[in-house]
Amino acid sequence: MTEAKESASRVKRFFWRIETARKITQFLSIILFNAGLFGVGSWPILLPVMYTLGIQQKTVGDAFAMLQWMLHDLVFPWLPLASFLLVAVFLGRALCGWVCPFGLVQDLLGYVKKKRMELSMRTHDLLVNVKYVILGIILLISVTLALSLATGVIQGYKAALGALAPAPFSALSPADTLFAVLPTMVSALGNTSLDALAAGILVVRPLLWARLAIMVTILVLAVYIPRSWCKYLCPHGAALAFLNRFSFLGLKRDPLKCTKAGCRTCVEVCPMYVPILDLPWEKFTDPECIYCLKCADACTTKAIKPKFP
Ligand code: SF4
Ligand code: SF4
């Protein structure tokens, strides 16, 4: 084969990879979410992905942030709940793999270090439960606050929660900090004199420091452990993981093509540590699977494919 033909086939192979399509979809999604920058108005759409309600240019809303705000405003959050249910039933956690802006940020950070930090399966199995605890705590705070505001019982509950009251998770969310707070700070810095900046740093609020510390920790973790936020901490991911097992979308592994013995390529590339080879081959919908299809891409015999329904 000539050199030109070899390069052409390399380019063709690159563009035919599912991973390339996924990256393009993730970048297009984040551009669409920020299409307000190009004068597009916001759309009446809520998605269960880690984004923010805190910026002007957004076109779609973050369902979990809206759920907290609606509970705080004593409105039943049927729209955010419908968004979670519909997406989970039809697509499972596929938006995590293909659309979520914070998922994209973690994927990009994953490229910084070639070798990932390995956790034992026992540690992983323990840590995956942390996100359900976080989801439970946030819902408990939001629901009890709504009940207290509606009934007038436990006066002072809202005051005790302070800045966390309207949206306890969003007030500390690393995605809100990254996509809304940080750009606002950077643009404010550009318009501030050095004296005012020094004075501002001295009086900067503890909540802001907490937000920044959480964001930096999560981003550094993502460099060492792929999708660590999604696997262990994300409350959106927890709600979707819970519903993922009932999803129409799943994966199947053709037992005639899969050489299983001696080959664990699919398991090794999976960023979510899904035990693919131990799951039913006809169809599997593991709570942690984000349908990134890295396993399907990596399988040399093309034994793994999406299955719907
Ligand atoms: S688990 Fe959370 S952060 Fe990760 S992709 Fe899903 S919604 Fe986004
Ligand atoms: S099982 Fe496959 S599709 Fe699911 S998260 Fe792992 S690599 Fe991605």
Side-chain angles (χ1 to χ4, degrees), residues 92-114:
R93 284 181 81 177
L95 294 194
C96 292
W98 290 74
V99 170
C100 176
F102 203 65
L104 169 64
V105 170
Q106 290 174 85
D107 282 349
L108 296 178
L109 287 170
Y111 291 131
V112 173
K113 250 185 144 20
K114 267 262 169 285

Side-chain angles (χ1 to χ4, degrees), residues 251 266 269-272 274 276 284 288-296:
L251 294 177
C266 55
V269 297
C270 177
M272 303 301 282
V274 176
I276 302 167
F284 56 92
E288 298 308 318
C289 179
I290 55 172
Y291 302 104
C292 62
L293 301 182
K294 280 183 182 228
C295 50

Side-chain angles (χ1 to χ4, degrees), residues 48-51 93 95-97 99-104 106 131 227 229-231 234-238 240 272 290:
V49 294
M50 279 274 289
Y51 192 45
R93 284 181 81 177
L95 294 194
C96 292
V99 170
C100 176
F102 203 65
L104 169 64
Q106 290 174 85
K131 61 180 178 296
R227 292 276 186 150
W229 170 264
C230 307
K231 282 194 286 250
C234 182
H236 298 68
L240 292 172
M272 303 301 282
I290 55 172

